[in-house]
Amino acid sequence: MTIKRGGFTNRLGFVAAAAGSAIGLGNIWRFPYEAGQNGGAVFLVIYIICIFAICFPVMVGEIAVGRKSQSDAYGAFRALGNKRLAVIGGFGILCGFMILSFYNVVAGWAFGYFLEIVFGDLLQEKDFGAFFSSYVTDFWDNLIYSLVFMAATAWIVMKGIKEGIETASKIMMPILFLLLIGLVIHALTLDNAWEGVKFYLWPDFSELTIKTIYAAVGQAFFSLSLGMGALITYGSYVSKKENITRAATVVTLADFSVAFLAGLLIFPLVFSQGQQPTAGPGLVFVALPGIFQHMDPLIGRVVGGGFFLLLCFAALTSTISLLEVPTAYFVDEKKWPRKPVVWGLALTIFIMGLPSLLSQGASPFLTNFLFYEGASKTFLDLISDVFSEVGLPLGGFMISIFIAFKWKTRNLTAEIAQGNPEYPGSKLERFINFMITTICPLFLGLLFIVTVLQKFFNIEVFHLIGL
Ligand code: TRP
């Protein structure tokens, strides 16, 4: 029996699905708190350089590898390389698995906030910081919300590529974008908003540290859904007529715009409300309700609820891409039927997310799980640090090495040329090939070593060699 592979119906289908995968909690929840903890504007500068110089070429590479191989993340490296190299794909699948386990928990928070704003009294709270801290310790509520979220994800992935993913992305993303713009305009008129804008847009390079760099690179990979084969998997469903470089440009710009706007919304709010930009993972949940509280109560409920609902949809188009990667692996490689694979994986990942869920105060042991980088870390922090901040750029490193030395850039060019006949010989081709063969492997390889040593072993490499 041959199992038919899915396929995107048209160009917008792929771009919408890839943008849907990219735009999610990473942009609205993670980006502002990472920027807030890492110097604000300096972080933004490094982030921008990284997405265009490092991530964009890797993204083009991933999509091309997927389309050429017509395989899942694991099979792609075997098809274009050999069986041993398939571990690169295997590592990516593992990262996606672990990322989804905690991502789903945070998505559950967003869903809970939607319900609390619309049907509860969240907007009457006096102290949103205290509310959030106690909210995330509630085991049962969070268990149910994240279960609902995972079930919704599994349901869409089960229905296959076309119907599920495309429709959801096409309607929800533009609405979210417009709402964000409206909120930003509103936030900029608040008292002290300017302080936030300064923090976010006026770089103080004396704040630049190694941590700023690895945090920004990790964030860039996370936000663009890179480094673990999500775009290899999506790329395998793309038609040969698709212009890959154009699609990657649109996805990168769309993803960046949403993250940029989220920062431009959160920091003015944080400063006008006298909060701390360094608050960490709760930042958005603590800062954002304030803007809805000051609206007319009914309007606040509608707009605030609407915002968190849209955030849930953005998260959903990301979780489906995270679940699609291991699903494609079992369906393509093991020839298992799609339906039980999807539900089995969803249940397993949900259970693996429980320690992360409990690590927000419900379990003291998991909450103060480890101490590194000069701070006490929760179990969720650990999984996020290992599998996204370190794991994804490492995946990007391996993918660029693979393209540069095994698959070869001439095959990359030939693949991109289908759908983009002007590509061979263009400046863009030279740029991408140079980056993929030189800068990406060198920078990401070095960064991996420096990050692991500094983060987990407190060894500052550049200090050691006297820099
Ligand atoms: N990019 C998504 C976000 O910003 C999260 C995500 C979806 C992801 N698929 C991924 C991250 C694959 C890494 C790899 O919310």
Side-chain angles (χ1 to χ4, degrees):
M1 185 179 77
T2 55
I3 294 162
K4 222 174 126 261
R5 294 180 61 76
F8 292 106
T9 45
N10 53 33
R11 220 196 68 234
L12 189 63
F14 172 69
V15 173
S21 164
I23 298 168
L25 295 169
N27 307 59
I28 289 167
W29 161 70
R30 201 173 189 273
F31 176 81
Y33 90 72
E34 287 284 346
Q37 284 185 322
N38 292 290
V42 213
F43 180 91
L44 181 64
V45 171
I46 306 292
Y47 181 79
I48 293 175
I49 297 174
C50 178
I51 56 173
F52 292 106
I54 307 286
C55 293
F56 176 75
V58 173
M59 180 185 286
V60 170
E62 269 200 37
I63 301 172
V65 163
R67 189 172 72 176
K68 176 70 192 178
S69 67
Q70 291 290 302
S71 306
D72 63 288
Y74 180 89
F77 291 97
R78 197 191 44 213
L80 307 183
N82 57 46
K83 191 150 175 40
R84 267 183 304 137
L85 291 172
V87 298
I88 304 176
F91 175 75
I93 293 169
L94 174 72
C95 286
F97 209 84
M98 299 307 289
I99 289 173
L100 182 52
S101 78
F102 73 79
Y103 196 95
N104 185 58
V105 172
V106 181
W109 299 346
F111 186 53
Y113 261 54
F114 158 68
L115 296 176
E116 295 284 345
I117 289 177
V118 176
F119 303 108
D121 292 326
L122 193 148
L123 293 182
Q124 265 99 60
E125 292 293 326
K126 299 221 162 32
D127 183 345
F128 293 120
F131 178 82
F132 177 76
S133 308
S134 83
Y135 182 78
V136 290
T137 58
D138 190 324
F139 176 68
W140 288 106
D141 278 7
N142 285 298
L143 182 84
I144 289 168
Y145 298 151
S146 58
L147 190 61
V148 168
F149 211 88
M150 188 60 96
T153 305
W155 187 74
I156 296 179
V157 173
M158 185 192 71
K159 305 250 326 182
I161 289 301
K162 288 195 189 78
E163 304 95 305
I165 301 178
E166 291 177 31
T167 0
S169 318
K170 269 186 245 176
I171 313 166
M172 299 300 166
M173 294 297 112
I175 308 181
L176 178 67
F177 194 75
L178 293 180
L179 183 56
L180 261 179
I181 292 182
L183 290 175
V184 166
I185 294 172
H186 184 83
L188 290 176
T189 64
L190 299 172
D191 289 344
N192 233 3
W194 192 242
E195 284 302 308
V197 175
K198 229 172 78 190
F199 174 80
Y200 185 45
L201 298 180
W202 195 259
D204 171 0
F205 284 98
S206 67
E207 297 234 8
L208 181 64
T209 62
I210 297 292
K211 179 162 182 284
T212 317
I213 298 176
Y214 66 69
V217 177
Q219 172 60 23
F221 273 80
F222 185 87
S223 190
L224 293 167
S225 303
L226 284 182
M228 46 90 41
L231 292 178
I232 294 180
T233 307
Y234 273 21
S236 75
Y237 305 130
V238 174
S239 113
K240 294 280 182 194
K241 289 194 222 93
E242 174 79 53
N243 182 335
I244 294 179
T245 49
R246 235 189 64 181
T249 309
V250 174
V251 172
T252 305
L253 289 177
D255 186 71
F256 173 69
S257 319
V258 174
F260 181 75
L261 287 174
L264 205 53
L265 168 60
I266 296 300
F267 292 113
L269 269 180
V270 164
F271 281 82
S272 79
Q273 294 170 163
Q275 296 161 333
Q276 290 303 324
T278 50
L283 187 68
V284 172
F285 292 95
V286 173
L288 208 48
I291 196 171
F292 307 124
Q293 191 174 46
H294 293 117
M295 298 174 177
D296 171 85
L298 183 64
I299 296 182
R301 249 177 230 262
V302 172
V303 179
F307 184 89
F308 279 98
L309 187 63
L310 287 167
L311 182 57
C312 288
F313 273 99
L316 196 57
T317 53
S318 301
T319 53
I320 54 189
S321 81
L322 283 160
L323 188 58
E324 178 66 27
V325 174
T327 300
Y329 167 76
F330 286 109
V331 172
D332 282 1
E333 300 298 313
K334 308 274 184 231
K335 308 286 181 234
W336 293 355
R338 192 168 175 98
K339 195 169 164 177
V341 164
V342 169
W343 289 101
L345 279 169
L347 186 66
T348 314
I349 296 173
F350 173 74
I351 292 170
M352 303 216 325
L354 292 181
S356 291
L357 195 158
L358 287 165
S359 76
Q360 303 302 303
S363 153
F365 170 67
L366 293 166
T367 304
N368 293 305
F369 195 63
L370 282 179
F371 190 93
Y372 58 83
E373 251 185 344
S376 165
K377 300 272 191 168
T378 68
F379 186 82
L380 192 156
D381 292 331
L382 175 70
I383 300 293
S384 162
D385 282 347
V386 171
F387 293 98
S388 71
E389 200 163 283
V390 177
L392 296 175
L394 176 63
F397 165 75
M398 294 192 291
I399 290 165
S400 44
I401 291 271
F402 174 81
I403 295 174
F405 300 106
K406 184 71 194 177
W407 192 40
K408 302 281 161 52
T409 48
R410 78 186 125 77
N411 290 314
L412 174 67
T413 298
E415 184 58 36
I416 298 171
Q418 307 202 34
N420 183 359
E422 277 106 72
Y423 181 73
S426 66
K427 277 207 190 89
L428 186 62
E429 186 208 2
R430 262 179 289 153
F431 169 74
I432 289 180
N433 288 352
F434 174 68
M435 287 296 167
I436 285 277
T437 52
T438 318
I439 304 297
C440 294
L442 281 178
F443 174 74
L444 294 173
L446 188 68
L447 184 78
F448 172 70
I449 297 168
V450 170
T451 308
V452 170
L453 288 177
Q454 173 158 337
K455 203 175 180 72
F456 300 113
F457 299 97
N458 203 16
I459 299 171
E460 298 196 18
V461 176
F462 288 94
H463 275 226
L464 283 184
I465 57 177
L467 283 173

